[in-house]
Amino acid sequence: MEETLPNPTIRLAGDWTAGVPADAATWFFQNRGQLVGREISVDVGAVAAWNGRLVAFLLRLRNLLRRDDGDLSWHGLPTGLAALLRMAENGQETSPMAVMGRAAEKVSKKNGGNSSEAGFCAFAFLGDLVRCLCRFFFGKVPTVGAGYGEIFYRVGVEGLPIVALISLLSGVIIGFVGIVQLARFGAAIYIADLVGLAMVREMAPLMTGIILAGRTAASFAATIGTMRCSGEVDALRIFSINPVAFLVLPRVLAVAWMAPILEIFSAFIGIGGGMVVALSLFDFSAVQYVQEMVSAVAMSDFFVGIGKALVFGLLTGGFGCLHGMRCERTAAGVGRGTTAAVVSAITAIVVADAIFSVLCHRLHM
Amino acid sequence: MAYPPPLPAVAVHALAIGHGERPSPLVEGIEFSVAPGEIFAIIGCSGCGKSTLLRTMVGLLPLLAGTVLLFGKKMVTVDCAGHGALTRNFSVLFQGGALWTDRTLGENVALPLLRRGGFSPKEVRDLVDCKLSLVGLGAYADFYPHEISGGMARRAALARALALDPPLLFLDEPTSGLDPVAARRLDRLVAELCSCQGMAAVVVSHDLAEIGGIVTRAAFLDANSGTMLDIGSPAALARSPHGAVREFFCENHANPQPEETVP
């Protein structure tokens, strides 16, 4: 490679099939300051082998020079390379309208704009959902064809095994950790109080909520997001079927209805797990264990747990459907929407649980 | 006694279209009207805004300027209160069909009927059978969309679009991705249905060779100028004073579709 001033000509040689050769890259790096703003000619005649990488290199070099009012011309091109460069150059020139659209898109994204045409904002979604819920309770939302039964089944019945497993293990873990400490003070029987209160008030709703967030919110976001991608949501709108009433409402109702039921189920399974640990390690009878637990756990504790599960269910359903309805119409967009649904649902559940704890403390519940 | 002339199925006036959040319109100054029973095409190269125009006309995208009247009533976007009433006047065959994939073909056709209300279960069953039979899929009511071919899915989507007997049908690239035989069969079906039911159709397509035989008039959108360059019958457009339109027609006619061999 050599350069002649004042009209520099760069002569390329050698094998360019593996990209820019190391010596050429070093030369360009060292001399880039001298190339700025100049009209440079490239002689490709001595290049022994080339492929698309040389085309890309020449185009990039020319774009860089043109950016600073310089230019790049080439000669000695093999026929195929000349044709490729011509086609690539033509492809770079886009119509004024397309350029304008892209610029506007950049401005829109810079301003936090969403590329989806619906502009599905969270507050509009919430408003629409609340309106649909109110209309549903007044019997003004048609339920025909919305598949309520199947959605309830998928959320509730199909969620039972995983809820049972996690709750059982939670009960066992709490029981095991607690009984070892309580036994030091000769208070092992109080493990019934500990497991009972922990499961009914905290662990059962929290575990149920997190399982629903991971399982159901992800499923809602993926289902609705895919329907958006394939135009099924638009098809609903064209038939004057409100997608929030048709797709979102049944899902939110299903998860809000099923979450308390799963929570009660989870609490009993967890208490059972704790009891198994206690009975296997100490000489209690099951009756003693249950009597102790009943004396410690009040009905208000059950209602707190059920209330939490209801709220966690609403959050799970709401976030799952929201991220499905607002995700971009691409495969990656659906993936991002699903991830966002799970993350936001779990975060919201934990935040709501903290708020519940403070409220219950203030209200002496 | 003189009757007033029938309202145009679609009347588009000084329309500017684009994607909602982008300030610059993709195409502007669009003017045309479609008479009841007419088959009208919107043609142009890829990316010129044909599908955007269709989505704007049916209310899925906001219009940036101008008006769209469907049978004399002003079109509004889907999130506006009046859109529901307007949907009684038209239906859409989406690109790719957009069938509801968790439902059988029969359920796909039945859902609009059930949600509109006013049909007994027996009427719904009969209408589903009738619409699917019209498109040659009478025996496939219990099939799911993934169990049938692309051409059949497109015909099933046509049956769904016709479920409520709309006086106006929008078709977005109805034959894209179909083999020539299936594409011609679908075109002929649309033409026959329009002729039989007096239904108007607005077809968006980039392939004039396929739809040229059924359309009465077409509008040509141009991405470079961002305008509607020309409008007229296919024969008139082939002699257009605009070079871009003539070039489009020459390219289309340079690759004629093979004759159909299957009846």
Side-chain angles (χ1 to χ4, degrees):
Chain A
M1 194 171 341
E2 59 184 65
E3 179 195 0
T4 314
L5 293 173
N7 293 315
T9 297
I10 300 171
R11 291 196 178 85
L12 304 183
D15 185 351
W16 283 69
T17 53
V20 183
D23 57 339
T26 309
W27 186 88
F28 277 109
F29 184 74
Q30 287 169 349
N31 295 280
R32 66 189 188 283
Q34 294 176 32
L35 300 177
V36 171
R38 296 175 71 175
E39 293 192 6
I40 294 165
S41 158
V42 172
D43 183 356
V44 195
V47 169
W50 60 273
N51 57 14
R53 287 173 158 174
L54 179 58
V55 180
F57 168 75
L58 290 174
L59 286 172
R60 185 157 54 89
L61 186 60
R62 185 151 96 170
N63 287 342
L64 283 172
L65 290 169
R66 283 183 174 176
R67 204 172 59 191
D68 297 314
D69 296 327
D71 205 354
L72 183 78
S73 59
W74 37 63
H75 51 87
L77 297 174
T79 317
L81 181 57
L84 276 177
L85 279 167
R86 200 168 46 248
M87 284 164 65
E89 277 186 298
N90 291 339
Q92 281 184 333
E93 291 164 12
T94 49
S95 74
M97 296 305 287
V99 172
M100 228 155 59
R102 255 206 311 278
E105 187 178 15
K106 279 183 190 163
V107 171
S108 164
K109 285 198 171 157
K110 200 173 164 187
N111 294 336
N114 188 335
S115 62
S116 71
E117 77 280 14
F120 211 90
C121 111
F123 289 111
F125 173 82
L126 186 62
D128 214 358
L129 180 57
V130 170
R131 192 171 58 89
C132 287
L133 274 170
C134 296
R135 286 170 56 83
F136 175 82
F137 288 118
F138 284 103
K140 290 187 176 172
V141 174
T143 55
V144 61
Y148 276 79
E150 191 184 342
I151 295 169
F152 272 62
Y153 179 83
R154 288 201 171 152
V155 172
V157 179
E158 290 187 356
L160 281 175
I162 184 71
V163 169
L165 177 68
I166 300 291
S167 306
L168 182 72
L169 292 176
S170 300
V172 167
I173 292 164
I174 295 170
F176 197 78
V177 171
I179 203 163
V180 170
Q181 301 302 320
L182 290 169
R184 289 183 180 181
F185 307 104
I189 186 63
Y190 291 111
I191 190 62
D193 303 29
L194 176 67
V195 173
L197 279 172
M199 285 309 301
V200 168
R201 284 186 71 103
E202 286 297 334
M203 294 305 289
L206 198 61
M207 285 296 140
T208 305
I210 288 173
I211 290 166
L212 285 175
R215 196 179 161 275
T216 310
S219 158
F220 289 175
T223 304
I224 296 175
T226 309
M227 289 182 78
R228 253 174 71 76
C229 281
S230 59
E232 293 175 49
V233 173
D234 286 338
L236 285 173
R237 288 193 169 112
I238 288 305
F239 286 112
S240 199
I241 300 171
N242 180 355
V244 173
F246 190 76
L247 295 176
V248 176
L249 186 64
R251 285 169 172 77
V252 170
L253 283 175
V255 76
W257 182 255
M258 285 299 166
I261 294 173
L262 288 172
E263 189 269 341
I264 294 168
F265 176 72
S266 164
F268 279 110
I269 294 279
I271 288 167
M275 191 163 76
V276 168
V277 171
L279 299 189
S280 61
L281 294 180
F282 287 88
D283 192 18
F284 305 141
S285 71
V287 175
Q288 273 178 304
Y289 186 93
V290 172
Q291 278 176 342
E292 182 57 36
M293 192 203 70
V294 169
S295 69
V297 180
M299 278 309 286
S300 63
D301 297 320
F302 263 104
F303 289 127
V304 168
I306 289 170
K308 278 184 181 182
L310 176 68
V311 173
F312 296 168
L314 285 169
L315 290 171
T316 301
F319 276 110
C321 295
L322 168 67
H323 287 289
M325 291 294 284
R326 73 189 303 193
C327 75
E328 291 169 29
R329 292 171 184 260
T330 60
V334 175
R336 278 195 293 273
T338 308
T339 308
V342 175
V343 170
S344 51
I346 290 178
T347 309
I349 284 170
V350 174
V351 170
D353 196 34
I355 294 169
F356 258 107
S357 299
V358 174
L359 278 178
C360 290
H361 175 69
R362 288 290 170 100
L363 297 171
H364 305 292
M365 289 178 75
Chain B
M1 181 179 164
Y3 290 100
L7 288 167
V10 188
V12 172
H13 177 62
L15 181 65
I17 57 167
H19 294 279
E21 286 107 13
R22 297 182 189 175
S24 60
L26 193 61
V27 185
E28 51 194 347
I30 303 170
E31 292 265 358
F32 64 82
S33 71
V34 181
E38 184 181 6
I39 302 179
F40 185 84
I42 297 162
I43 55 173
C45 303
S46 297
C48 70
K50 304 182 296 291
S51 292
T52 306
L53 173 57
L54 183 137
R55 293 173 71 79
T56 307
M57 286 193 289
V58 301
L60 289 172
L61 282 174
L63 40 84
L64 303 185
T67 51
V68 175
L69 301 176
L70 300 187
F71 296 98
K73 291 177 185 155
K74 196 171 175 182
M75 174 49 82
V76 291
T77 48
V78 284
D79 47 1
C80 294
H83 190 266
L86 287 168
T87 56
R88 290 174 183 275
N89 288 330
F90 71 90
S91 192
V92 182
L93 173 59
F94 286 95
Q95 195 169 6
L99 288 168
W100 297 306
T101 45
D102 57 342
R103 289 158 200 277
T104 62
L105 302 190
E107 288 168 344
N108 262 278
V109 180
L111 185 63
L113 300 164
L114 292 169
R115 299 291 289 200
R116 179 62 54 86
F119 300 96
S120 70
K122 188 176 178 310
E123 277 179 312
V124 170
R125 268 199 310 277
D126 291 346
L127 278 167
V128 168
D129 284 345
C130 163
K131 300 297 175 183
L132 283 174
S133 300
L134 269 180
V135 297
L137 293 174
Y140 291 87
D142 294 329
F143 281 60
Y144 283 90
H146 65 267
E147 295 173 321
I148 57 174
S149 70
M152 290 161 81
R154 218 64 67 86
R155 279 187 280 149
L158 180 61
R160 184 183 70 180
L162 297 173
L164 294 165
D165 292 322
L168 169 63
L169 180 64
F170 291 96
L171 302 99
D172 189 2
E173 302 273 9
T175 54
S176 68
L178 298 186
D179 65 84
V181 175
R184 285 183 179 218
R185 190 177 290 170
L186 189 71
D187 285 339
R188 216 170 39 222
L189 188 61
V190 171
E192 281 172 15
L193 289 168
C194 284
S195 154
C196 296
Q197 303 188 7
M199 181 176 66
V202 178
V203 188
V204 161
S205 181
H206 66 275
D207 195 345
L208 194 72
E210 282 189 354
I211 60 162
I214 62 167
V215 300
T216 45
R217 286 186 310 141
F220 183 88
L221 301 188
D222 181 41
N224 287 320
S225 61
T227 57
M228 188 182 90
L229 268 190
D230 209 348
I231 183 170
S233 66
L237 285 176
R239 299 187 302 274
S240 169
H242 300 282
V245 184
R246 285 198 309 274
E247 187 185 11
F248 182 84
F249 271 73
C250 290
E251 288 292 330
N252 265 272
H253 289 171
N255 301 304
Q257 299 297 319
E259 283 302 312
E260 190 172 339
T261 52
V262 178

